[in-house]
Amino acid sequence: MNKLLAGAMVVTTAFALSLGVLFYGAVEPEVAAPMYFLALLAAIIWAAKLLLSPASTWKSSPMHWPILAFAVYAFIRYLGAPVEYDARVELLQVGLCVLGYFTACQFYHPSHRTILLGALLVLVAFESGYALWQFATKSDAVLFWTRPEMYRGRGSGTYICPNNLAGFLELAFGLVLARGILMHRRKGSMEGFAVRRLVIFYLALMAVVGIGVSLSRGGWGATLAGLVMLAVWGDWRSRVHWWRFAAVGVGIVLLGFIAWKLAPVRIMNAITSVDRQGTASIGLGDKTLNSRRYLWRATMEIIREHPVLGTGAASWQWVHLKHKSAEVPTHPEYTHNDYLNLLSDYGAVGFALMAWVFVGFFRQAYKTSDVRIPSEERSWSVGAVVGITAILAHSLLDFNLHIPANAFALAVILGSTAAIADADGRFPRAPIPPGARIALGIGLLAVCSLLGWQFSKTVLGARYTRLGNDAKIRYLLEPGIALDFYRRASEVDRGLSIPRWKTGDIFRVQAQWRLGAEKKAERVGLARQAIPFYAEALRLNPYETQVVLRAAAADELAGDDAGALEKYNRAVAMEPNSPVPAERLGKFHRDRGNDELAAKYYDLAQRMKRVSSPGIDWNVDELKKN
């Protein structure tokens, strides 16, 4: 029974990891559902194993306590987060990773890690091949979605962003390459062993090619960091250390070849190695690192204001608006640096807990990289070190650990490493007392039920909202269909603001098309229908500047100039470095004949527009003509 349930746990976890990667990195609740519910199923099987088996064991690890402590701390920070919905989505992701970690801690047998490695091998082959096709054909197709045009000519596999594909391949590459280097023949023919090793090395090369065609320079640097760690990590008494040098050399040469020979890559390198006048190589030509430095500078201001506890779970994208530089015209969700993001949201306390996790990982991985450990298990430990070093290096420039599929893969790798027995017995495996075993099983079922319930309503809310968005476009003249979906979304997920303001948009747009004095009453009535929906949306998320501006427009249509003016001023205060609120406030004053105030805000918007979009000019003198 124990073996059957343990095998079911491993297979279910492998499927969860695979579907998370294949379904767009699980970046939205709908596409994350297969990964999430399979991970919950794996934890439920573990709970059944605890309750049904006469005996179970528990293995100690220096990662257990900091992971549990961070989970508790994340829940506490969720309770005080400024936006409940976003904090809940992040807390569910944290819960998923914690469950995935502790479930993987039960994968004691080497065959369990072999199953996980097999799943990773298949994913590496598919993702790298798909990325190479996207790169060669310049296709923007990602299964049934179309990714943004700015990624054209880059491989992203089934991910939307190529940098996130690079992050996954970095994690998998270390495990694949280490298995090829350290694997030993225990039985079977030498020919069969050689074929298996060649296949593994071929897939490791495919991973490098996939990282290369992603054109993720952070991915290239992170892969090199992982290769360096491969060269120096572990016990050098091993007779196969020369394989490491060969692998590192081949990896560096291959990445260098990609970076030099492929024309799109040469162009990208030129952008970052030549100054903007093209006169000399002076280091990084784009000194902003594609606007990252502006994001980091603003994030440091947030950290200085909230150094200990941070601003709350998943709050960066909203708190950042007040500090956002005019040079950043978009609305980024993450700061493109997982460390700064962690410090901003969770403060020094959360950062210290996560640092404790990775210190514990490297400590345990060092003990399980000893030559006395069987090669299958030692290769997993060494490969985990290589992959996690790479993803930690990449986290300096991107947000891979905020991508659910990549975060879950990392958690499973950490847990599977914790399950390996070290030669000195520093992290022993001991039987669980019957009372503790039953309590743990019941507690697991309770946690899985709570997470499943919360995630179900989150998924349904997101699904009904998407269906409403689709109906709004498809049935333009029949808004009732979209309104019905938005109503369902609001009922099933009472913390989701989007269906509320989307409903308000429908009434406001209808009001805008009721032109002329004879339709004033109808126009005002529709606008007043929109106002409470905007108010409810802003109660749930008071940081959405676009919703404040929409609510102000509804007030204008309803004839409430005082309410509209208050909201326009509020939007300007929320995003003081954005030209859009200033432009809208300037237009409000212009339409009411307040030319002096109009000129003031138009001039402010113009100055910020010139910073964010050089070459675009606004004619402020037009105000005097109207």
Side-chain angles (χ1 to χ4, degrees), residues 103-446:
T103 302
C105 286
Q106 311 309 307
F107 300 164
Y108 300 128
H109 197 274
S111 63
H112 296 162
R113 279 171 290 280
T114 300
I115 292 172
L116 290 177
L117 183 65
L120 289 173
L121 289 171
V122 173
L123 288 171
V124 165
F126 178 77
E127 295 290 333
S128 298
Y130 195 13
L132 187 59
W133 175 80
Q134 291 165 329
F135 174 82
T137 63
K138 294 182 171 54
S139 172
D140 291 327
V142 180
L143 300 181
F144 303 105
W145 285 7
T146 301
R147 64 185 183 180
E149 190 176 345
M150 63 181 176
Y151 297 138
R152 180 164 299 165
R154 301 176 62 184
S156 67
T158 57
Y159 289 79
I160 300 300
C161 177
N163 297 331
N164 301 150
L165 169 69
F168 167 72
L169 291 177
E170 291 155 15
L171 279 171
F173 170 67
L175 293 166
V176 174
L177 184 59
R179 177 58 68 97
I181 293 172
L182 298 175
M183 66 185 297
H184 289 168
R185 182 172 66 90
R186 292 187 176 274
K187 58 183 179 179
S189 67
M190 179 63 73
E191 292 79 4
F193 172 75
V195 169
R196 289 196 301 274
R197 173 170 266 175
L198 284 175
V199 169
I200 290 175
F201 280 139
Y202 174 75
L203 290 173
L205 287 176
M206 284 194 68
V208 175
V209 171
I211 295 169
V213 299
S214 73
L215 305 191
S216 170
R217 287 155 291 176
W220 303 343
T223 304
L224 290 175
L227 287 170
V228 170
M229 183 61 81
L230 174 65
V232 302
W233 185 264
D235 193 330
W236 280 95
R237 290 175 295 176
S238 171
R239 291 178 298 171
V240 297
H241 64 269
W242 66 270
W243 277 97
R244 302 190 186 198
F245 286 115
V248 170
V250 170
I252 292 173
V253 169
L254 183 58
L255 279 175
F257 176 81
I258 292 173
W260 177 251
K261 283 295 183 181
L262 297 181
V265 181
R266 291 203 306 272
I267 293 171
M268 291 187 73
N269 282 336
I271 292 172
T272 55
S273 62
V274 179
D275 64 18
R276 294 197 176 192
Q277 287 73 38
T279 57
S281 294
I282 55 171
L284 291 178
D286 179 8
K287 298 184 186 301
T288 72
L289 299 177
N290 197 20
S291 296
R292 284 173 171 81
R293 289 185 61 184
Y294 297 127
L295 300 177
W296 299 344
R297 184 174 61 195
T299 306
M300 289 304 299
E301 294 177 11
I302 299 171
I303 294 169
R304 279 192 289 269
E305 293 177 0
H306 307 274
V308 179
L309 299 178
T311 56
S315 59
W316 180 87
Q317 67 166 314
W318 307 116
V319 179
H320 165 255
L321 295 177
K322 185 178 179 180
H323 303 274
K324 189 177 76 169
S325 171
E327 287 88 350
V328 182
T330 58
H331 179 111
E333 293 185 43
Y334 306 106
T335 192
H336 283 77
N337 182 309
D338 278 323
Y339 303 101
L340 291 180
N341 228 132
L342 179 65
L343 273 168
S344 175
D345 286 352
Y346 295 96
V349 174
F351 188 89
L353 290 173
M354 287 308 300
W356 185 9
V357 171
F358 287 104
V359 168
F361 162 73
F362 283 107
R363 179 187 169 198
Q364 183 157 1
Y366 182 77
K367 291 295 183 181
T368 53
S369 300
D370 193 291
V371 291
R372 292 173 292 173
I373 304 295
S375 62
E376 291 86 354
E377 297 180 319
R378 185 168 77 253
S379 68
W380 183 276
S381 292
V382 173
V385 167
V386 173
I388 289 175
T389 298
I391 201 73
L392 291 177
H394 200 168
S395 291
L396 288 167
L397 293 171
D398 280 304
F399 48 89
N400 272 297
L401 298 185
H402 281 85
I403 302 302
N406 289 358
F408 182 70
L410 174 66
V412 171
I413 291 170
L414 290 175
S416 299
T417 306
I420 299 174
D422 61 290
D424 297 323
R426 293 289 300 274
F427 312 111
R429 181 178 168 190
I432 305 175
R437 174 171 55 80
I438 293 172
L440 180 58
I442 294 173
L444 263 177
L445 291 176

Side-chain angles (χ1 to χ4, degrees), residues 540-551:
L540 296 171
N541 185 352
Y543 297 89
E544 289 191 281
T545 309
Q546 61 166 338
V547 179
V548 175
L549 294 174
R550 286 171 159 90

